[in-house]
């Protein structure tokens, strides 16, 4: 782009030609000489949700064709691993004393082929003494049956923010409110459903474990693999090939991957493992699973003065990331975009006999937004005012310097009212309300629902708030960028090339990206929490600036000029003395000259910041509900998502589109379900409602940019915003379509059955 910056333009993704032609190379596709002769691994999984292991009979499996080894926790010498969040909750990587959810690994088979390993796994017989299965989070909270006896309770973690004044009751807390509303909302359990299920391969090479894993953070996983294999970090080399989706669930390291090193060492040859879709649905960490009790109070004219939230988090069968991450993110974001002076937020995490929960697109921020947005709808309905106007009345005014909320969370910049206005204006809110009124007056079977949400979220909030980058100029003038972030669909190869090109002038097609290899990129924070651009991208941007300064010094030597007189012609990628462009040194010449002096033309840099960023926005959803059948049709979705300065609008829109699809899916069709015995009844994509284009409208994206001061790019995260704004808007729209019939709330997902039942209940 001659004469101007490429940043802010719709640059086509560099990644796409490969994915659309030859295809990606995923963990199960890796064809590496170090994996020659690899054996195949299959896991024996618990068929009961809760029980004591009496015995494990492997005799039949050991003698089956092709079987090389069958292991239990005992034969591998596995010791219990305590949860870092509650040390009283400990388990072995293969269940040894008891099983705690259906699908938990109990034993492992290694064979010549995958079919042989799978057949033998089916012939391992485990004798269980059944224990009561605790599926419901409130039942588990009250039960005397303990999933971890040493913990003394199924409540394994709790937090409180602010809280009631000492010795006061909830009645006293809301005593001055003219109006109060209460709600019990279920933010249901969902499965991440990445198109690429987990897979891994492991080999020992010259005393080091080389392992390929489908992960969002190879560097972050290294400690877990070091602990599982003994020794030190230098003996572990993790490699991340292409990753077909993660959504937070591939941040964790799982038993099935962690055990491969031990299996390969025991066997003396490489091993491979790939889960089935059903195994993925049962064992890849689930998301959300939060039960919310809310009370909101305020004045009859619409001012909200008090808000109380008690979130009960379902941790599943282990005290893992989901136990603390969602509560930690729900609590500080509980007040959302609203100026509410009196707040109480409590979270309680409870173990159940279900798949452990983990990070999932937004992790805690969607839950916080859903709770307060539903409460705002109930409050507006109770006082008889328009839901959008009640929101406007309570918004925090525009601020361009840090603002501290009642729960003590500091936001960077925000302009919530403008976002709301943009979404409402684009949707034609007044006209929609008029159409809704006409349908109601006509008594039509198909009623219109309009849902509004306004949200703020936290991105780049995980400590340490930093990221490394390295940029290396090669002798042919190309450049290689090494990043500690890990792409799995976000478009890093395009965005990082844009940032490097914008400062150096090196053409984007001559800039390549390396990530996810702990030997080549030893440190990195991975990709999660929408941190990549604002920290990883900022590191590349900072490194490119430093690289240019280093190159200027070298060019000054070669051109026998003062460094202050050297300028970079970005259009031609060459350095010259100001005023004499005919004599110049291109990047390739500088790289060769630098190498001749015994030094690479390379920059290693570390970008650090001391604050997260807080994207915000507003969504308007329009649905049509058939009051006879309960069927919901999603007609429109207007999204105004402000992620600060936009580097590439094409990538931004893609992230928003994906987020809306995922958020709408939760609102309308997605739900992981178990029967009373803890058996999963949504264990494949025939039973689990994963959304497709058929169920979605074309999205209407309204752009808005409020740059942040937190990083030089002015950028915030965008990967989760669409999910956070869309879910409550769609749910609100469904409830709004039926509010004149007496329906005040419908828990997600708003399936036809659930909507029909709500209509029937309201008419009784």
């Amino acid at each position: 782009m001659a004469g101007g910056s490429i940043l802010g333009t719709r640059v086509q993704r560099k990644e796409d030609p490969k994915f659309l032609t030859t295809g990606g190379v995923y963990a199960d596709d890796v064809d590496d000489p170090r994996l020659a002769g690899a054996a195949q691994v299959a896991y024996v999984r618990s068929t009961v949700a809760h029980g004591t292991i009496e015995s494990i009979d492997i005799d039949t499996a050991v003698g089956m064709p092709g079987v090389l080894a069958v292991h239990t926790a005992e034969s591998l010498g596995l010791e219990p691993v305590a949860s870092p969040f509650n040390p009283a909750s400990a388990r072995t990587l293969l269940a040894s004393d008891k099983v705690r959810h259906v699908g938990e690994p109990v034993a492992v088979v290694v064979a010549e082929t995958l079919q042989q390993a799978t057949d033998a796994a089916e012939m391992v017989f485990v004798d269980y003494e059944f224990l009561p299965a605790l599926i419901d989070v409130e039942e588990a909270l009250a039960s005397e049956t303990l999933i971890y006896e040493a913990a003394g309770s199924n409540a394994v973690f709790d937090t409180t923010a602010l809280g009631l004044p000492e010795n006061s009751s909830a009645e006293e807390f809301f005593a001055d409110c003219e109006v109060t509303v209460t709600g019990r909302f279920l933010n249901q359990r969902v499965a991440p459903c990445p198109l690429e299920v987990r897979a891994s391969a492991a080999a020992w090479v010259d005393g080091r474990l080389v392992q390929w894993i489908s992960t969002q953070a190879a560097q972050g996983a290294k400690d877990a693999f070091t602990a599982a294999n003994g020794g030190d970090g230098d003996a572990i080399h993790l490699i991340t090939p292409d990753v077909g989706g993660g959504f937070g669930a591939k941040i964790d390291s799982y038993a099935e991957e962690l055990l491969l090193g031990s299996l390969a060492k025991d066997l003396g040859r490489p091993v491979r493992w790939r889960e089935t879709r059903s195994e993925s649905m049962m064992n890849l960490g689930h998301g959300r699973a939060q039960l919310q009790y809310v009370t909101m109070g305020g004045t009859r004219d619409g001012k909200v003065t008090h808000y109380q939230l008690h979130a009960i988090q379902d941790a599943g069968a282990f005290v893992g990331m989901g136990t603390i991450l969602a509560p930690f993110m729900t609590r500080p974001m509980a007040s959302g975009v609203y100026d509410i002076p009196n707040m109480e937020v409590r979270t309680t995490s409870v173990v159940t006999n279900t798949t452990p929960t983990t990070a999932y697109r937004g992790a805690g921020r969607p839950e916080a937004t859903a709770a307060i947005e539903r409460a705002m709808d109930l409050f507006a309905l109770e006082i008889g005012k328009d839901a959008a106007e009640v929101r406007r009345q309570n918004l925090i005014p525009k601020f361009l310097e840090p603002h501290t909320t009642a729960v003590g969370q500091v936001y960077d910049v925000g302009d919530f009212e403008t976002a709301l206005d943009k979404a409402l204006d684009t949707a034609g809110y007044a006209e929609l309300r008029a159409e809704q009124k006409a349908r109601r007056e006509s008594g039509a079977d198909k009623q219109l629902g309009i849902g509004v949400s306004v949200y703020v979220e936290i991105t780049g909030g995980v400590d340490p708030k930093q990221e490394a980058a390295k940029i290396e100029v090669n002798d042919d003038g190309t450049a290689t960028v090494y990043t500690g972030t890990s792409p799995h669909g976000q478009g890093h190869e395009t965005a990082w090339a844009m940032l490097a090109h914008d400062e150096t002038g090196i053409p984007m097609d001559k800039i390549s990206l390396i990530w996810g290899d702990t030997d080549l990129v030893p440190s990195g924070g991975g990709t999660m929490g929408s941190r990549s651009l604002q920290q990883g991208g900022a590191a590349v941007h900072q490194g490119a600036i430093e690289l240019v300064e280093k190159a200027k010094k070298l060019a000054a030597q070669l051109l026998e000029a003062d460094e202050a007189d050297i300028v970079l012609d970005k259009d031609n990628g060459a350095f010259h003395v100001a005023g004499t462009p005919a004599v110049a040194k291109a990047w390739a010449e500088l790289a060769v000259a630098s190498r001749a002096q015994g030094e690479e033309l390379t920059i290693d840099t570390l970008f650090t910041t001391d604050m997260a960023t807080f994207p915000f926005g507003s969504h308007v959803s329009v649905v049509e509900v058939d009051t006879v059948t309960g069927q919901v049709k999603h007609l429109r979705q207007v999204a105004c998502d402000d992620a600060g300065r936009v580097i590439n609008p094409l990538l931004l829109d893609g992230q928003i589109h994906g987020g809306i699809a995922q958020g709408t899916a939760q609102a309308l069709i997605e739900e992981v379900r178990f029967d009373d015995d803890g058996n999963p009844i949504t264990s494949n994509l025939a039973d689990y409602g994963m959304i497709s284009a058929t169920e979605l409208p074309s999205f209407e994206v309204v752009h808005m940019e409020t740059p942040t001061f937190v990083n030089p790019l002015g950028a915030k995260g965008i990967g989760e915003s669409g999910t956070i704004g869309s879910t409550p808007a769609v749910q609100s729209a469904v409830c709004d379509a039926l509010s004149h019939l007496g329906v005040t709330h419908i828990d997600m997902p708003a399936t036809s059955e659930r909507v029909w039942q709500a209509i029937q209940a309201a008419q009784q």
Side-chain angles (χ1 to χ4, degrees):
M1 178 169 288
S5 173
I6 197 173
L7 304 185
T9 61
R10 298 180 71 87
V11 177
Q12 294 294 316
R13 284 167 44 105
K14 288 183 62 181
E15 299 89 336
D16 288 347
K18 178 187 77 171
F19 288 116
L20 293 172
T21 54
T22 59
V25 177
Y26 303 97
D28 194 46
D29 301 322
V30 172
D31 183 13
D32 189 284
R34 290 169 288 187
L35 292 174
Q40 298 288 333
V41 171
Y43 285 92
V44 180
R45 300 186 180 277
S46 173
T47 56
V48 302
H50 197 197
T52 302
I53 298 175
E54 297 296 300
S55 64
I56 304 176
D57 183 354
I58 66 172
D59 291 345
T60 302
V62 168
M64 291 184 67
V67 172
L68 303 170
V70 181
H71 285 292
T72 64
E74 182 179 6
S75 66
L76 288 174
L78 301 179
E79 296 293 331
V81 178
S83 164
F85 312 117
N86 187 324
S89 303
R91 64 174 183 175
T92 46
L93 292 178
L94 291 176
S96 52
D97 57 341
K98 65 190 296 192
V99 291
R100 296 176 173 88
H101 73 94
V102 172
E104 182 176 4
V106 177
V108 58
V109 177
V110 187
E112 293 289 355
T113 69
L114 179 57
Q115 188 60 59
Q116 289 170 335
T118 302
D119 289 345
E122 293 177 354
M123 299 307 293
V124 174
F125 297 100
V126 186
D127 183 22
Y128 301 101
E129 180 180 337
F130 290 85
L131 296 170
L134 302 175
I135 308 306
D136 180 83
V137 69
E138 290 184 296
E139 179 187 350
L141 190 58
S143 178
E144 294 182 359
T145 298
L146 300 182
I147 295 174
Y148 291 92
E149 289 80 2
S153 170
N154 290 325
V156 290
F157 195 83
D158 58 70
T159 68
T160 301
L162 296 181
L164 301 174
E166 189 175 358
N167 300 321
S168 68
S169 65
E171 289 76 13
E172 292 174 297
F173 186 67
F174 291 97
D176 295 333
C177 297
E178 296 174 359
V179 179
T180 60
V181 293
T182 61
R184 179 189 186 275
F185 311 141
L186 179 61
N187 206 288
Q188 82 274 28
R189 175 184 287 256
V190 294
C193 293
L195 291 184
E196 181 210 11
V197 296
R198 289 177 299 156
S200 187
W204 288 89
V205 181
D206 297 329
R208 299 183 76 213
L209 174 64
V210 182
Q211 189 157 347
W212 292 259
I213 54 173
S214 182
T215 181
Q216 296 175 222
Q219 293 81 6
K222 197 169 182 180
D223 286 348
F225 280 85
T226 300
N229 289 279
D232 57 38
D234 291 339
I236 307 294
H237 178 197
L238 300 181
I239 303 171
T240 303
D242 290 319
V243 175
F247 308 113
K250 289 183 182 176
I251 300 171
D252 272 328
S253 298
Y254 296 80
E256 296 94 336
E257 302 150 344
L258 294 171
L259 289 169
L260 294 185
S262 296
L263 298 175
K265 179 176 284 188
D266 174 78
L267 193 64
R269 61 191 276 194
V271 296
R272 286 181 179 269
W273 167 76
R274 182 195 70 227
E275 67 183 352
T276 65
R277 176 60 63 182
S278 290
E279 286 179 304
S280 180
M281 296 294 287
M282 290 190 297
N283 292 276
L284 183 63
H286 291 166
R288 307 294 186 253
Q290 189 179 97
L291 179 63
Q292 303 166 334
Y293 284 93
V294 304
T295 304
M296 178 174 281
T299 65
R300 181 65 62 182
D301 66 0
K303 176 60 182 173
V304 176
T305 58
H306 293 70
Y307 180 59
Q308 184 183 70
L309 167 65
H310 182 199
I312 305 174
Q313 178 65 48
D314 187 347
F318 187 54
V319 186
M321 190 185 301
T323 308
I324 60 105
L325 183 60
F328 265 28
M329 290 299 190
T330 298
R331 189 187 66 184
M333 303 308 295
S335 60
V337 295
Y338 302 111
D339 184 14
I340 304 174
N342 302 291
M343 295 278 300
E344 184 197 55
V345 187
R346 290 186 295 140
T347 69
T348 305
S349 296
V350 182
V351 285
T352 60
N353 294 122
T354 60
T355 303
T357 56
T358 189
Y360 175 75
R361 203 165 191 168
R365 290 93 83 196
E367 294 89 325
T369 300
I372 199 163
E373 290 300 283
R374 276 274 70 220
M376 277 287 178
D377 281 338
L378 293 181
F379 188 77
L381 190 63
E382 179 67 22
I383 64 176
K385 294 189 70 172
D386 180 80
E389 291 311 307
V390 170
R391 284 171 166 79
R392 186 193 309 280
Q393 185 175 345
N394 288 283
L395 291 173
I396 299 168
K398 180 179 179 179
F399 57 96
L400 296 178
E401 56 187 30
H403 172 86
T404 304
T405 70
V407 292
Q409 181 62 61
V410 181
Y411 298 165
D412 54 353
V413 294
D415 186 2
F416 308 140
E417 186 171 6
T418 298
L420 174 61
D421 288 341
K422 281 179 173 285
L424 294 176
D425 290 347
T426 301
Y429 187 69
E431 292 81 1
L432 289 171
R433 286 297 180 196
E435 181 183 348
Q436 180 187 65
K437 181 180 179 183
R439 289 202 192 193
R440 289 181 175 180
E441 290 175 348
S442 71
D445 289 341
K446 295 182 178 180
Q447 291 293 316
L448 199 68
I450 305 121
V452 178
S453 73
V454 191
Y455 75 90
V456 60
E457 73 139 328
I458 181 172
T459 61
V462 178
D463 288 326
K465 299 178 181 67
Q466 63 183 40
E467 191 53 80
K470 174 183 174 182
I471 306 177
E472 180 178 75
V473 181
N474 306 307
D475 289 355
D476 59 359
T478 62
T480 306
V481 175
Y482 299 79
T483 179
T485 63
S486 188
H488 43 278
Q490 292 84 354
H492 292 186
E493 190 171 346
T494 301
W496 282 204
M498 289 176 67
L499 291 164
H501 163 76
D502 200 59
E503 294 297 332
T504 65
I506 298 173
M508 282 185 59
D509 61 1
K510 292 186 176 182
I511 300 173
S512 59
L513 185 67
I514 291 177
W515 76 90
D517 185 314
T518 58
D519 275 10
L520 299 177
V521 188
S523 64
T527 293
M528 62 200 74
S530 296
R531 67 181 296 274
S532 289
L533 178 61
Q534 60 187 295
Q535 291 169 7
V540 173
H541 174 255
Q542 176 175 288
I545 293 173
E546 294 171 359
L547 180 66
V548 170
E549 292 305 310
K550 182 176 182 177
K552 281 184 177 180
K553 290 180 171 36
L554 180 58
Q557 295 176 20
L558 299 178
L559 294 171
E560 299 180 346
D562 289 335
E563 182 182 335
D565 294 331
I566 300 297
V567 296
L568 169 61
D569 178 357
K570 293 182 182 179
D571 290 340
N572 295 306
F575 294 83
H576 62 81
V577 178
T580 57
V583 181
K585 294 294 180 182
W587 281 106
E589 296 173 273
L590 294 178
V592 172
S594 182
R595 193 182 302 279
Q597 295 179 7
E599 183 180 358
E600 303 289 338
L601 187 49
T602 301
I603 282 291
D604 277 290
T605 194
L606 180 69
F607 172 79
T608 61
T609 183
D610 58 2
M611 186 177 177
T613 62
F614 295 82
F616 61 89
S618 180
H619 283 222
V620 176
S621 178
V622 183
V623 303
E624 184 178 74
V625 179
D626 189 323
T627 58
V628 176
T629 65
Q631 183 180 21
V632 177
K633 184 175 182 181
H634 191 191
L635 301 179
R636 293 180 65 192
Q637 188 74 22
V638 178
C640 178
D641 296 292
D642 191 320
R645 185 188 180 196
V646 175
I647 303 301
N648 185 334
L650 183 71
L651 299 180
L652 176 96
D653 289 354
Q655 288 292 301
I656 293 172
H657 289 181
I660 294 173
Q662 210 154 354
T664 298
Q666 183 184 2
L668 296 180
I669 63 174
E670 285 197 47
E671 183 178 30
V672 171
R673 299 178 65 185
F674 299 86
D675 67 17
D676 292 341
D677 295 322
N679 297 303
I681 55 179
T682 50
S683 59
N684 56 60
L685 297 183
D687 297 321
Y688 185 80
M690 194 171 76
I691 207 159
S692 70
T694 304
E695 293 83 29
L696 296 168
S698 294
F699 307 133
E700 301 166 63
V701 176
V702 184
H703 290 132
M704 177 175 171
E705 295 184 42
T706 307
T708 181
F709 55 81
V710 174
N711 59 74
L713 296 175
K716 306 181 183 186
I718 190 59
E720 296 148 327
S721 294
T723 313
I724 295 169
S726 63
T727 308
V730 175
Q731 184 185 20
S732 174
V734 175
C735 298
D736 177 67
L738 305 173
S739 62
H740 66 296
L741 301 177
V743 176
T744 58
H745 177 73
I746 300 174
D747 268 332
M748 300 183 292
T751 60
S752 298
E753 178 184 15
R754 190 165 286 171
V755 171
W756 184 86
Q757 289 173 340
I759 295 170
Q760 302 312 305
Q763 292 176 345
Q764 291 178 358

